[in-house]
Amino acid sequence: MKAAAPLLAAVLLLVGCGFHLRQAPDLPVSMQRIYVAVPGGNGDLLRELRRGLESDDTEVLADPTGATTILSIASVGRDSRPLSLNRRGVPLEYQVTTRVEFSMVVDGATVIEPQVVVMNRNYSYRVSNAISNEEQEAALRRSMAKDIAQFIIFRVVAAAKNLKAAYAAPAGATAPAPATQAVPAAASAPPPV
């Protein structure tokens, strides 16, 4: 019993701070057969998107045939530039940038218009260790692919909620008109005494 107390305390601490294990998104039936179209050379991004979207109910297809949802990654751009230099003009710090444009179509209707997510990360550059610099940049790119995939999945989940709400609305129902508010007349200042 004493050995279980630290484990229980750790679990309660994690739950109390809001930590939750990753859960696959709950998508409507119309979105449960997804094809992710990613340009070549972006295996990390494709892997993270597949991992984040696949669940017991949702299948990420290897081919667009039979897909009800197409998540299109239109372009992936990468850039690397010196962020700071020493007095001799040697880089001290680099910034790596990844820019991804994506959109999504469900049953032939665009539910996510083309949009762009841009992510930057910085790393310390060591002139004497080129291999370490390359490894740092590669690790940052993998991390950014994971974060960008998570952002895209959040957008997919938001689109799914909108679709669920649209299907749940009774036929012929209209959104309530926004309430109008009376605008108070401008107060006039009393005349100076």
Side-chain angles (χ1 to χ4, degrees), residues 36-90:
V36 182
V38 177
N42 295 290
D44 288 334
L45 181 60
L46 177 59
R47 184 171 35 261
E48 293 299 334
L49 286 169
R50 283 177 168 272
R51 184 180 298 155
L53 290 168
E54 213 154 37
S55 71
D56 292 339
D57 298 326
T58 303
E59 182 181 4
V60 180
L61 305 173
D63 184 280
T65 306
T68 56
T69 300
I70 309 271
L71 175 60
S72 297
I73 307 300
S75 65
V76 178
R78 294 184 180 87
D79 188 31
S80 178
R81 67 181 184 88
L83 197 58
S84 63
L85 307 171
N86 68 13
R87 289 183 297 203
R88 295 187 309 270
V90 176

Side-chain angles (χ1 to χ4, degrees), residues 1-7:
M1 188 66 163
K2 285 185 179 183
L7 180 60

